[in-house]
Amino acid sequence: MKMDFSVGMGGVLTTGQVGEMARVVEDSGFTYLTLVDSPYRSRDVHVMMTLAALATKRIRIGQGVVDPLTIHPSVIANITAS
């Protein structure tokens, strides 16, 4: 049985650090990377996901948490699909 591992990040990372950290996670052999949406505490989760995707080649990226009170669920789905 194959096991996949994930790393979650966000919080106090600057936009300049997200791509670099995503590369480290990918190079370390992790399968998934999740980013957390925490209004007033972290950068926009969708921007962080984009920066991580631009900096990596194979890792799967997603939201660890998204606040449906600040962004409508249909908008979250549309952004994620994009």
Side-chain angles (χ1 to χ4, degrees):
M1 178 167 84
K2 181 182 176 219
M3 291 184 71
D4 293 321
F5 292 91
S6 176
V7 169
M9 64 182 192
V12 297
L13 288 177
T14 66
T15 52
Q17 294 172 314
V18 173
E20 179 183 338
M21 294 302 292
R23 253 185 262 105
V24 169
V25 170
E26 182 176 67
D27 291 346
S28 297
F30 289 91
T31 305
Y32 303 99
L33 169 64
T34 58
L35 294 134
V36 178
D37 179 27
S38 180
Y40 311 111
R41 233 186 121 230
S42 65
R43 307 292 177 238
D44 181 87
V45 68
H46 304 102
V47 172
M48 289 192 298
M49 288 172 52
T50 301
L51 293 169
L54 289 170
T56 58
K57 293 186 181 353
R58 64 161 183 78
I59 199 163
R60 293 179 174 210
I61 300 166
Q63 305 105 328
V65 176
V66 177
D67 185 355
L69 298 175
T70 58
I71 305 173
H72 192 275
S74 67
V75 176
I76 293 169
N78 190 28
I79 293 169
T80 303
S82 296

